[in-house]
Amino acid sequence: MGYADRFRRQRSATVGEVVYSLTHSPYTALGDLYLEDRLGRRRRHPGWVPVVYCALARHLGSYNRLDAELADGLWAQLLAAADDAGLEPAPRSEPFRYYHHAYWRDLIMSDDTARHHLLTRLTEIALEQARRQGLLLPHGPGSITHPHRRRLIYGDGTILRPRFRYRPDNTGARNDPSAATHTRHDGHIWGNNYVLISARGEHPYSRVVLAIGRVPEPGGEAATAIELIQHVHQLAGPGIVGVAYDGAFQGAHHDKIMRTTGLVVINKPHVAVRGDEVVVKRHTLGTYTHTVGRHNQTCSHQLAAVNGRIADIEITEDGTPAVVAWANRHQVKRARRADGTYRFNMVIRLTCRHHNCDWDTWLSPHDDPEHIRLLPPDDIDFDRLYAVRPDAESLNASFKASLVADRAPSIGWQRQLYDVAGFTILHNATNLHRQASIR
């Protein structure tokens, strides 16, 4: 039976399957962070319990329902699965409750160092999971010139609406003070913006969420995404070759990622708008020459970037520029400088219309990152690589489906980030279990 047939036969995960996946996953090691800090109350439950509790809440949709299920037999089922996994025993007569969860959540997420440690450890475990699936391997398939999807990361932001619809200017009404007005392509949304960075293979259940973060202010999604990409790249090393993202990235963001991480950025250029009409985005690059014939005659060409792709243009009789030949990306080179930054150069090949021959020239996307793209939309590799980017929308939809009424279950961005971490653990642990079951 092929992967497609087995994928169609799969159903939604049951509570029992989720409990088994969580207790037998490497993410229970995150519980050690709850035991490192000896401040606060005496620990009555082992560290893995709050980790599994947070993830189970995202499967069941709410903490109230989870507490009811734990009191109605789920606690005994959870302990039996933990015993099977060899985890530290928990008190059988005292189920973990929401007030336990809220105490340890606030203790960790309110401390900047503890919160950073938790999210970093989560990324490290997720990277190990990705490598076991053949993703992000330093000696994996693909190259800088032709990246492979297994060595590609991608991401997107999602705006989480607050638990209460009232805003701080409504005196006396309960509100979320950390929420703000964020602008998207479809309008303005009140809430908190979170970025998720992922990787995935070609098979079902191969997606792994690698890193999560919160956008501190409206308009800062690209900066947050770059910080997460740099963090993941620092931990993963040369296993990552490229990154795909949506329209939040502009030329300056491309340049920063390429210089600091050495990753190829796969992204569609921003459209050019003139009035109410979308027009072709064209930017003149200048005159380039090559030699032909035995006498080394010089031939000149006017090059321009058209929607990110390099073209040979000429001026027609009515004064408008026209494309006479498209360039093909022939080779991409990446050099690391003494200060640790990277610089990309690429060889493009065009056909000379004057002498009917091919000629090559070097260009660097750093010279004009807004218009010169290493992988423009018409490149032979673009569709294959950028096709993974919409999968981030599917991930965001899965996260929203774990919420009640599409609203945050907690108040405050630190608590909501903890909920996103719980969803990440749930998603990765379930996929890890299902990957093993369909092999």
Side-chain angles (χ1 to χ4, degrees), residues 370-387:
E370 182 63 38
H371 299 95
I372 303 176
R373 299 295 172 89
L374 289 174
L375 271 78
D378 293 329
D379 190 90
I380 58 174
D381 293 327
F382 183 86
D383 290 340
R384 174 177 56 85
L385 297 174
Y386 194 73

Side-chain angles (χ1 to χ4, degrees), residues 394-416:
S394 174
L395 177 65
N396 293 341
S398 298
F399 172 57
K400 296 291 182 66
S402 71
L403 308 175
V404 176
D406 194 21
R407 290 189 176 273
S410 307
I411 303 174
W413 71 266
Q414 294 97 334
R415 296 171 176 175
Q416 293 172 16

Side-chain angles (χ1 to χ4, degrees), residues 33-35 37-45 50 53-54 63 67 96-111 114 410 414-415 418:
L33 302 177
Y34 294 85
L35 306 178
D37 187 358
R38 304 312 301 176
L39 297 177
R41 298 174 182 170
R42 182 171 63 88
R43 276 66 170 164
R44 300 185 62 86
H45 297 85
Y53 182 92
C54 182
Y63 294 107
D67 282 354
F96 199 78
R97 300 286 187 175
Y98 175 75
Y99 62 87
H100 298 115
H101 161 81
Y103 178 80
W104 297 117
R105 174 198 63 193
D106 295 346
L107 191 66
I108 288 182
M109 299 305 288
S110 61
D111 183 86
S410 307
Q414 294 97 334
R415 296 171 176 175
Y418 193 77

